[in-house]
Amino acid sequence: PGGARRCPAVPGGMDLAYVCEWEKKPKSNHCPSIPLVCAWSCRNLIAFTTDLRNEEEKDLTHMVHIIDTEHPWDVYSVNSGHAEVITCLEWDQSGSRLLSADADGHIKCWAMTDHLANSWESTVGSAVEGDPVVALSWLHNGVKLALHVEKSGASNFGEKFSRVKFSPSLTLFGGKPMEGWIAVTISGLVTVSLLKPNGQVLTATESLCRLRCRVALADVAFTGGGNIVVATSDGSSASPVQFYKVCVSVVNEKCKIDTEILPSLFMRCTTDPARRDKYPAITHLKFLARDMSEQVLLCASNQNNSIVECWSLRKEGLPVNNIFQQISPVVGDKQPMILKWRILSATNDLDRVSAVALPKLPISLTNTDLKVANDTKFFPGLGLALAFHDGSVHIVHRLSLQMMAVFYGSSSQRPVDEPSLKRPRNAGPLVHFKAMQLSWTSLALAGVDSHGKLSMLRISPSMGHVLDMNMSLRHLLFLLEYCMVTGYDWWDILLHVQPSMVQNLVEKLHEEYMRQNAALQQVLSTRIVAMKASLCKLSSSTVARVCDYHAKLFLIAISCTLKSLLRPHFLNTPDKSPGDRLTEICSKITDVDIDKVMINLKTEEFVLEMTTLQSLQQLLQWVGDFVLYLLASLPNQGSPVRPGHSFLRDGASLGMFRELMVVIRIWGLLKPSCLPVYTATSDTQDSMSLLFRLLTKLWLCCREENHITEPDDTLIDECCLLPSQLLIPNIDWLPINDGIISKLQNKQLVRLQFGKAPGLVGHTVSSQFDAFVRTPGQPKIDHLRRLHLGAYPTEECKSCTRCGCVTMLKSPNKVTAVKQWEQRWIKNCLCGGLWRKMPLSYS
């Protein structure tokens, strides 16, 4: 390839993680759509398009495919219903809705049905009949963060990731951002659709300027003041690239659009007499980021080559003739200012560019940030990706356009099984990326090639520079914290975590979290547990703790739900809610006798209807079982590989269990059938108070995090006797996940096929855990409702894309308290993962 010769980039900056392709049928009917498009959401869902060829009628069905990056084979393909080819796909900022637009002017908004990541429907849309859409974007919601690389050592998250003052494109009453989208069509129209809270869509269409002209390429960006900037080109490099300011407002329940012309530019390669006609077409036009309307990337091409330029809009003084300065001295002091486009950088002649991907990570581009990034070799967010027709991909610096990393899609990417005779003579390498997207942390790159095959590339945070372990940990930690603060999915960071890093990362993440203020800690409390769980999956020495973290998420959720059911007896009670008072009393009264703790509580606050109590039995049973399991596993704490081990030193969790035991005890007096059922060897034994006594002793050992004492021998002896007094239950731990991430660690390329789950053998970690996870043919369990589903469930279930937790789609219960519990995980799993519908035969 032509780019190879002058490549100062470090090799090893990029490598293939996996490829996923369509099944090869004799007459393969998936053909890539001609403008192939893909989009990557902040929740790590990727959407892309192909056309389905129908043999008889010879017409094409335009498909949209949605995958989550952890289960790429589990593709959800939907007939888009677009009559013409799909030209744009755009995710919204929450990563859960998708816009698609076609060459007939129709725009559709897709959303999940029942919050399932593999079931989508289009509910609303808009259209400019017969006018192909060339650019599409959601309106800006006014949320903008800046990442400060130079402050990555700061203790406060607010300093590392600062909120930038940025106005939404349009606000509702009270300053709430209004949702909607903006599109530009080929005939020079701009159309805006606003989604009103009541579900109504307001649409307005306006021409970009008085003289409408053809728009072959366009892009949309936003300014901090709430305006929209549209860049357009008619496709010829001899014509100027035009810029327009668009203002959207709502007047008398109607949407109104005002447009205004901004300075335009001619590409530099066309003003140079030597190269004037060398690059006749502009093929790519992109703002560097959707909230950076002052910087734009342009690419001009001919049949075989391309050139890329980066331009910036600057304020410049206008020189004034001396005559005026003598007449009016004021003018001399204060030069009039104008806005002017200036070229920042340009490349030499390159191979022909087939696709461009821009970084979404909001690195602040001040000089100190750029210098720090260079010193620490922290490159995510600084590079943009260019794909070439020879199959290679280069990452170049987004301001200087200098090469940072390179990936050679060598001829090995060609289909190997085809005999060389069949290959058309004129075609060089067959495969190149038609569409590319960088992930939200810029650590991964997805490309869809001319066969509709999806490739996932890893991009090293240091672009292949060898760093000491400490520095690379710092980089990953910084990005994990960014995901924790924003709520984005962090799958693409896990691609770079080696088993040896896991322990360190988890500890450092916890340290950083403990340095935040109490309010922020509370907001992020479940997110950090989910993050630790997904990290611990990646190393065989920490995999037991995955079960513990998921159990901890479950415990936190149960504790919140049960406490929220308690009602103050009198309405004008003092400031503390019954739940808070319960926590306070349980931590103050360290008595080992459950009844003595109970006496201090106002029992009338705990009175609930009998049906409510009965419907909570399964959840209470889990609490009881878990406490018994923990205490029974205390004597053999020498083997830290058992799930549940970390709870024995976790004072906060043990304290929660202790509170719940007290609540259960009180509820058991009201309705004995809601108590956890234990199988005891003697009829007279009071199992609840026995367990409470042992639990309190254990809790006292580790109540204060700073000095944790070892449990004394009498406690261990009593726990040794537990198996002879009570039947120790089987705890249904979550399955060790079936996703792809743990298969990618040895850096071997994994080949997958859409619609076909891979045989996931050879995963060393899970083998030692088979003892804890139910084998096929054993009864399945609904992990969140704690209901047994039988060995071959007849109910439809959903499972979590992140932790593999399984639960029924439809609620079997009508009781309000249970509904309240189910509302906690209706949209996302407790770990924050997305739900996907499972096939009925899942066994």
Side-chain angles (χ1 to χ4, degrees), residues 300-331:
S301 309
N302 57 26
Q303 289 295 306
N304 308 315
N305 299 92
S306 294
I307 188 164
V308 176
E309 299 178 1
C310 180
W311 289 71
S312 171
L313 189 64
R314 307 270 173 88
K315 264 194 180 149
E316 295 191 356
L318 199 62
V320 177
N321 193 307
N322 291 342
I323 300 175
F324 295 110
Q325 294 188 355
Q326 288 154 13
I327 302 170
S328 154
V330 185
V331 178

Side-chain angles (χ1 to χ4, degrees), residues 573-611:
T573 45
D575 45 0
K576 284 209 171 78
S577 69
D580 294 344
R581 210 163 39 253
L582 167 75
T583 307
E584 190 183 38
I585 286 170
C586 286
S587 63
K588 204 164 62 189
I589 297 171
T590 55
D591 207 298
V592 293
D593 184 351
I594 192 165
D595 297 323
K596 285 190 181 149
V597 180
M598 205 167 75
I599 287 166
N600 293 284
L601 290 164
K602 298 198 174 97
T603 5
E604 56 268 26
E605 290 178 347
F606 290 77
V607 177
L608 297 178
E609 290 109 42
M610 294 301 154
T611 47

Side-chain angles (χ1 to χ4, degrees), residues 622-637:
W622 179 83
V623 175
D625 282 352
F626 205 86
V627 169
L628 172 54
Y629 170 84
L630 282 183
L631 292 167
S633 63
L634 180 65
N636 50 5
Q637 48 180 319

Side-chain angles (χ1 to χ4, degrees), residues 621 623-633 661 676-695 718-730:
Q621 180 73 46
V623 175
D625 282 352
F626 205 86
V627 169
L628 172 54
Y629 170 84
L630 282 183
L631 292 167
S633 63
M661 293 290 274
V677 180
Y678 294 110
T679 315
T681 40
S682 97
D683 298 344
T684 52
Q685 167 180 302
D686 181 353
S687 309
M688 284 284 290
S689 57
L690 167 69
L691 290 175
F692 185 83
R693 193 181 81 230
L694 300 176
L695 178 63
E718 284 187 84
C719 290
C720 284
L721 290 175
L722 274 177
S724 59
Q725 295 164 309
L726 294 165
L727 181 69
I728 308 300
N730 261 335

